[in-house]
Amino acid sequence: MTIHDLEIAEASGCHPMFLGVQSNVEFNKLRKRLLRNTRQALEDFAMVKPGERWLIGLSGGKDSYGLLALLLDLKWRGLLPVELIACNLDQGQPNFPKHILPDFLTRHGIQHRIEYKDTYSIVTDKVAENQTYCSLCSRLRRGHLYRVAREEGCSALVLGHHREDILETFLMNLFHGGRLAAMPPKLLNDDGDLMLLRPLSYCAEDDLEKFAQAMQFPIIPCDLCGSQDGLQRNMMKAMLSDIEKRMPGRKEIMIRALANTRPSHLLDRKIFDFAGLSLRLEEPSDSEIVLADYRK
């Protein structure tokens, strides 16, 4: 990115990443909606502490590209007072195009770090071909990203999980895990020294897909979990899609429901004291007795 690019961006009132993007009414509405949803999540879950440094996990998929662009846009507008550094973890997958992300990040003047760790060999060695790679792969990737965050002096690892990711996780836990749990927008890691943030928690996957197409991000497909058929998450995604098709607007209602729980109307004895429930058989006060006599 040249000084001339920066000058053009300043005059255009946008981050340099948005230069050259075809702007129209539909795209502007989409961009504003995504920015609004992202800001709402940042505010609702108290994610921002001015002056902090965040590590953004950049996989090369549409969601992480969208996350990076939206956070940079908010920072450019003076609405996100934190320092951002993008990080891609090259996991050693065969045929992974190593040049795409460094070229993209350098071209747009984005502070970044490319980290190489061969977790691909570990996953394919430990997990049978008929089993899901995702769980072990994500744990290994997360561990290395936490390490990089510490080395870079960051207080948070920021990931691009969106509304559908949260709902799919909820359904997987409901149908397969026997518990009511999803992906929290904000989570303290086990060691207690880093926050895990998901600012796209309110953003719809369809919106992020359209945003990625309009921005012409150089998408890198996953050849590991993306190569497996019959994943439980894919089944949940299909179920959600069918529900939304039959009853439009259900996804938005479901994500609101996760923020509107009633412990007394569930069955978890650990979060509600069912044993302590008792009938209200208090003695009437003197004034209540007088009033009752008067009415007679």
Side-chain angles (χ1 to χ4, degrees):
M1 182 175 57
T2 65
I3 295 177
H4 181 60
D5 292 331
L6 284 173
E7 291 174 347
I8 295 175
E10 285 283 2
S12 304
C14 68
H15 187 274
M17 185 184 291
F18 291 86
L19 292 178
V21 177
Q22 186 174 5
S23 181
N24 52 46
V25 174
E26 184 178 355
F27 175 75
N28 289 335
K29 287 182 178 179
L30 172 65
R31 181 180 175 185
K32 288 179 180 178
R33 182 163 63 249
L34 286 170
L35 286 171
R36 182 174 63 250
N37 288 338
T38 302
R39 288 189 67 190
Q40 191 65 56
L42 291 171
E43 180 180 336
D44 285 353
F45 301 101
M47 296 185 188
V48 180
K49 289 186 178 180
E52 289 189 335
R53 182 173 164 92
W54 289 1
L55 187 78
I56 302 175
L58 185 64
S59 67
K62 69 181 190 311
D63 305 327
S64 60
Y65 273 124
L67 171 69
L68 178 64
L70 292 167
L71 292 184
L72 286 171
D73 198 357
L74 288 173
K75 183 173 175 61
W76 186 268
R77 296 164 185 260
L79 300 173
L80 185 62
V82 300
E83 185 179 353
L84 304 174
I85 174 172
C87 178
N88 172 252
L89 180 65
D90 181 346
Q91 297 178 263
Q93 296 182 27
N95 304 316
F96 182 78
K98 297 179 181 295
H99 65 285
I100 289 182
L101 285 171
D103 289 352
F104 174 84
L105 294 166
T106 301
R107 183 167 69 253
H108 293 295
I110 299 169
Q111 186 179 3
H112 66 276
R113 172 171 168 175
I114 305 297
E115 183 77 4
Y116 177 81
K117 286 294 178 182
D118 183 7
T119 63
Y120 175 86
S121 298
I122 298 175
V123 172
T124 53
D125 178 63
K126 299 293 184 183
V127 181
E129 290 186 5
N130 61 340
Q131 295 182 341
T132 304
Y133 294 143
C134 296
S135 179
L136 178 58
C137 180
S138 63
R139 288 202 304 272
L140 293 173
R141 182 173 62 248
R142 187 80 52 82
H144 285 299
L145 288 174
Y146 278 147
R147 173 181 55 78
V148 173
R150 294 185 184 99
E151 292 174 359
E152 293 292 338
C154 296
S155 59
L157 170 62
V158 190
L159 301 178
H161 295 125
H162 47 66
R163 183 186 70 180
E164 277 70 13
D165 287 324
I166 292 174
L167 293 178
E168 290 160 16
T169 301
F170 172 74
L171 291 178
M172 287 174 65
N173 282 319
L174 178 66
F175 292 131
H176 301 285
R179 59 183 177 272
L180 294 182
M183 287 179 173
K186 181 179 181 182
L187 178 71
L188 182 65
N189 73 333
D190 291 340
D191 292 332
D193 64 338
L194 287 169
M195 285 292 179
L196 177 66
L197 305 177
R198 296 183 173 102
L200 303 185
S201 293
Y202 293 152
C203 295
E205 184 175 16
D206 286 347
D207 281 350
L208 291 167
E209 178 72 38
K210 294 173 184 175
F211 185 66
Q213 291 174 359
M215 295 289 291
Q216 298 183 335
F217 294 136
I219 303 298
I220 302 174
C222 176
D223 292 330
L224 189 59
C225 62
S227 65
Q228 291 185 291
D229 296 323
L231 300 179
Q232 291 178 356
R233 184 170 290 276
N234 290 343
M235 296 172 64
M236 300 302 105
K237 183 182 291 291
M239 181 186 301
L240 279 170
S241 179
D242 182 61
I243 291 173
E244 186 70 15
K245 187 181 299 182
R246 293 170 184 269
M247 297 179 289
R250 293 314 101 175
K251 288 181 181 179
E252 189 61 31
I253 292 175
M254 290 174 70
I255 203 71
R256 291 208 308 267
L258 291 178
N260 187 23
T261 57
R262 296 288 187 271
S264 63
H265 287 53
L266 298 173
L267 282 70
D268 193 336
R269 292 169 293 165
K270 296 186 295 295
I271 62 173
F272 188 79
D273 184 16
F274 291 99
L277 283 178
S278 60
L279 298 174
R280 294 174 180 168
L281 300 177
E282 299 176 356
E283 292 293 331
S285 65
D286 292 340
S287 60
E288 290 174 331
I289 294 174
V290 171
L291 181 61
D293 289 341
Y294 171 78
R295 286 175 176 171
K296 289 179 181 179

